[in-house]
Every structure is written in structure tokens, then in C-alpha cells.
Amino acid sequence: MRRIYTLLALFFLLLGLHAQSLMFKHLEVSDGLSNNSVRCIYKDSEGLMWFGTLAGLNCYDGYTFKVFTHQENNPNSLPDNYIENIVEQPDGMFWIKTAKGYVLFDKAKEVFQSDLTPFMTSLGSKGNPGNVFVDSAGNVWIYVVGEGCYRYNRQKEIGYVSCQKYNFPPSDVSDMAECKDGILLLYDTGLLVCIDRDKMNVKWIKKEVQQGSPQVRIDFSLFVDREDCIWIYGIEGVWAYDLRTGKWNEEVTARWKNRSDFVHTITQDARGRIWMGKDYSGIDILEKSTWKIRSVVADKDTDRGLSHNTVYTLYTDRDGIVWAGTYKKGISYYGESIFKFDIDYVGDVTSIEAEGEDRAWLGTNDNGVLLWNFSLRRVEKHFELGEAPVSHS
């Protein structure tokens, strides 16, 4: 019982300490991850975490990993183990981008469909997906080089925007995103195009990021924050366009111009801060209200810091956990409360009630109620709202 009371006393102390430093937990090969180089992260509709690595697709349920890799003589396996992107459709099917292109993944059957010709033909396309994006309404947008952008949904309604009609570059779209105005296409020339979701026509075009000649190809990326600020980033710099004011943020552009380091990835946390994962110097966290930046770097003297300074991907899940995929040290993840009780990833713990000498009931914001055993460091029972308890013994 004394141990539980000690934990209750530490509850408020840890909250105060947490405000002073960012503490991370980690997942690596030793935990079951297939490879420590992580290129993409996604949380699906059922709450499972998916990690794309250089050596396969990983599914994590909070306790264990399930790994999917290419298997010789199995046409239903991944065609390649290099995973670049993960997107889920409203029907539960996944688009997985590999080094050999996109495949459709049926999670229930654990089957990968590599031959997309029948599906693309049903859309009216003769090509292959270059980029896939699912918007907030559940529409799936597929860009095909040399053709244009296709849109479809559960009602099998198909829309199309032609490249030739609008004289778009005959090249690939580096990234796609969504803003209040519509769907954004960012070409590898730096050209930014906004498509009206319903009318399927071009709403506006921005050429400010385009680097010199339209023939120059650069791998740009795109992120839209909750305030409808459009972030464009890549090896050439960072640009921020505020849709509310219709202006580019010159301070952001100047800060990142002609720097040796560059941004691989951007996300926004639950507090509205912008996280930028860089090539060799960790993460910059930007407070938008003051435009002040806080740097987070790996520290070999602690096991609660960022694990590696090359951050390939950042992802904020719907529960507010920020996940960082690194080049050589797997995954670091951060949440406001994951270190409150030295508990593994079980959710956002908001309350605790003693149960005997070595157990406590944990109430969470996002994962129901759990009975935690402090001696064994594991969940013994787990209640979701309206459900019977699940035993983990």
C-alpha cells in the first residue's frame, strides 16, 4: 500500500518535471521491430500502430509486433521490404507504398495485391499510382503521372482532373494534403496546386516555391497544420503559406535558406507546436505564437531522450502521442503523460486508484480502465466502455 501512496505523491511531482523536459520512450529491433530505420508511421482506425521500415511493414498493438515482409514464391506478400508510405481507406483496406510502387493490403486477410491493373482500369486509368491520399471525408485521391488526379469513394463515384487540360508538369507529385480550400498537389518542381473537392477543377496555383526551371526535380514534402498553414519542405528549405492571410511567412523561409541541415518531416502536436525532424540535428519544436524554436537532440547519457538525431518521419496520432522514426535507432515516442507512472504505452493516464499493495486501477483518456501490476509491470485487466474486462494474465 505504501508503494501506491508513494506513486500518488509522485504524480504531481512528475507532472512538474515533465513540463521542464521532453521525455521519450523507445521501440527498437530488440523489442520486435523488423529494422531500426523507420520511414513512415500510421495509426489505423482500430488503434493499431503501423511502422514502415527498410525491412518490412510492422504492426504494433502496444505489446507485440507483427511483421510483414516479401516472401519468395508468394504473390500475396509484399513485393519489396522498403516501405515508404501507409494510408488506410474508410473500408479498412490499406495503400502501402514500397520501393516497387503501391500495393493494396487487406488487413483482415493479410493479403497484398501487387497487380493494380484491374483496379486502375476501373477508374479509367492506364497507369500506376504515383501518390495516394485519403481526405477527411473518406475520398481516395490517386495521382497518375502523365494523366492526372483521380478521386473515388465508397459510393463508387469517380472524379478526374486532367494534367493536359491545366498544363501541369509531365512529372510526379511529391506529396498530397488537404486544406480548407481543397486537395493540395505538390509537384516535384515545387509547383503547388489546389483542387476543388467537388467540382474537380483547379482552384488556385502557387509558383513561389518552384526552383528555377520547371525541369528541375526536387523531392518536396507537404504538411497542413490545424490553423491552415501550408508547410512545404525539402533539401532546398522550408516555406510556410498562411491561407487565412494569403501570405508566405518570410521569416520561416529566411531561417531555413542556405542551411547545411534540412527538414525530413513535419507534424503538429496536441498543443499546436510544430515539430520539424531534421537530417542530422534532431528535432526543432516551434511555438507558433512566439516563433521561438526549442531544439531536441539525442543524449547518450539518458535512455529517456530522443534516440537518434536523424529523424525521417514524425507522426501525431489522434491520442496526442508524437512518434518519431529515426535512421538508426528505431522509434522514439512522446506523450504528455507516458512517464507518470513508469508505465509502458497504455494510454493517456488521468487518474489512479490503489488496489492492494502492488496494483492500481488506471483511468485513461483514450484506452478505458486498466488494472496495472507494478511488480510485474503489466496490465492484468482492461475495460473498454460498455465491455467486459479483458484479462492479460
Side-chain angles (χ1 to χ4, degrees):
M1 182 68 72
R2 182 183 303 168
R3 186 174 184 181
I4 300 298
Y5 287 147
T6 301
L7 285 166
L8 288 168
L10 286 173
F11 178 88
F12 298 102
L13 174 62
L14 287 171
L15 283 177
L17 290 175
H18 176 79
Q20 301 171 21
S21 61
L22 298 183
M23 296 188 292
F24 295 82
K25 287 199 172 186
H26 310 103
L27 296 169
E28 299 187 37
V29 168
S30 59
D31 301 298
L33 190 68
S34 65
N35 187 276
N36 274 341
S37 188
V38 179
R39 304 304 303 233
C40 56
I41 300 173
Y42 184 80
K43 188 170 191 173
D44 72 16
S45 56
E46 295 182 339
L48 297 172
M49 295 301 305
W50 295 82
F51 307 112
T53 75
L54 298 187
L57 177 67
N58 296 244
C59 179
Y60 181 61
D61 63 4
Y63 303 97
T64 59
F65 284 91
K66 186 165 190 175
V67 179
F68 300 89
T69 58
H70 172 68
Q71 301 168 22
E72 291 293 336
N73 302 318
N74 182 359
N76 293 323
S77 70
L78 280 166
D80 189 87
N81 289 330
Y82 190 112
I83 310 300
E84 299 180 15
N85 196 22
I86 305 165
V87 181
E88 183 183 17
Q89 295 185 163
D91 62 2
M93 294 288 286
F94 287 72
W95 287 92
I96 308 296
K97 188 175 185 181
T98 75
K100 293 185 177 180
Y102 275 98
V103 297
L104 273 170
F105 174 52
D106 187 325
K107 182 176 72 173
K109 297 179 180 178
E110 299 187 354
V111 168
F112 295 87
Q113 179 185 342
S114 298
D115 183 6
L116 299 178
T117 302
F119 174 80
M120 296 303 293
T121 300
S122 72
L123 297 182
S125 172
K126 297 180 180 178
N128 295 310
N131 210 297
V132 179
F133 176 74
V134 179
D135 68 21
S136 58
N139 297 304
V140 182
W141 299 79
I142 300 177
Y143 184 82
V144 179
V145 177
E147 293 184 4
C149 195
Y150 295 85
R151 182 207 65 198
Y152 76 94
N153 53 31
R154 276 184 164 181
Q155 291 72 41
K156 299 183 179 179
E157 299 169 335
I158 299 174
Y160 174 63
V161 179
S162 168
C163 287
Q164 288 77 18
K165 179 179 178 180
Y166 293 99
N167 196 31
F168 293 156
S171 59
D172 205 353
V173 163
S174 291
D175 209 351
M176 301 171 71
E178 180 178 18
C179 68
K180 68 179 181 65
D181 284 354
I183 303 303
L184 300 174
L185 309 181
L186 180 61
Y187 280 83
D188 57 12
T189 62
L191 183 71
L192 181 64
V193 177
C194 181
I195 296 176
D196 189 290
R197 299 175 184 85
D198 302 315
K199 296 178 181 179
M200 295 300 293
N201 58 17
V202 172
K203 201 163 187 178
W204 49 256
I205 295 176
K206 301 293 179 185
K207 298 181 179 180
E208 286 83 352
V209 179
Q210 190 160 282
Q211 301 292 300
S213 169
Q215 281 69 47
V216 176
R217 303 285 184 260
I218 299 173
D219 187 18
F220 290 102
S221 296
L222 190 60
F223 177 77
V224 181
D225 68 25
R226 291 192 294 275
E227 294 75 43
D228 261 314
C229 183
I230 301 171
W231 299 82
I232 298 173
Y233 54 97
I235 195 169
E236 293 293 318
V238 178
W239 298 261
Y241 180 73
D242 192 335
L243 273 175
R244 298 172 301 180
T245 63
K247 296 180 179 179
W248 293 90
N249 189 305
E250 296 181 0
E251 182 179 346
V252 169
T253 304
R255 178 174 290 173
W256 284 95
K257 189 174 182 180
N258 298 323
R259 288 183 59 166
S260 57
D261 203 359
F262 64 92
V263 173
H264 279 293
T265 178
I266 291 180
T267 192
Q268 185 176 30
D269 67 17
R271 292 170 53 182
R273 299 175 297 185
I274 300 299
W275 292 46
M276 300 180 177
K278 297 179 291 182
D279 187 53
Y280 63 80
S281 54
I283 297 172
D284 280 350
I285 301 179
L286 170 68
E287 291 280 1
K288 291 186 67 179
S289 59
T290 62
W291 292 100
K292 291 183 178 179
I293 287 180
R294 175 182 183 179
S295 294
V296 178
V297 295
D299 183 354
K300 64 181 180 179
D301 295 326
T302 177
D303 60 357
R304 293 189 173 185
L306 182 67
S307 60
H308 196 267
N309 281 331
T310 298
V311 180
Y312 279 149
T313 184
L314 289 168
Y315 178 84
T316 304
D317 69 25
R318 57 182 174 270
D319 299 315
I321 304 296
V322 179
W323 303 79
T326 71
Y327 168 46
K328 285 186 176 180
K329 295 291 288 182
I331 298 154
S332 295
Y333 61 96
Y334 163 82
E336 294 289 343
S337 62
I338 60 174
F339 274 102
K340 282 181 183 176
F341 311 107
D342 195 26
I343 294 171
D344 293 331
Y345 177 64
V346 296
D348 182 15
V349 178
T350 57
S351 60
I352 180 171
E353 180 69 27
E355 176 72 23
E357 293 187 359
D358 284 323
R359 294 175 176 82
W361 289 100
L362 307 178
T364 74
N365 241 348
D366 54 355
N367 198 25
V369 179
L370 308 101
L371 179 61
W372 180 261
N373 187 309
F374 288 94
S375 297
L376 301 177
R377 296 193 74 252
R378 64 177 176 84
V379 173
E380 290 191 353
K381 293 182 180 180
H382 180 197
F383 292 85
E384 293 284 0
L385 290 179
E387 293 182 351
V390 177
S391 175
H392 293 271
S393 58

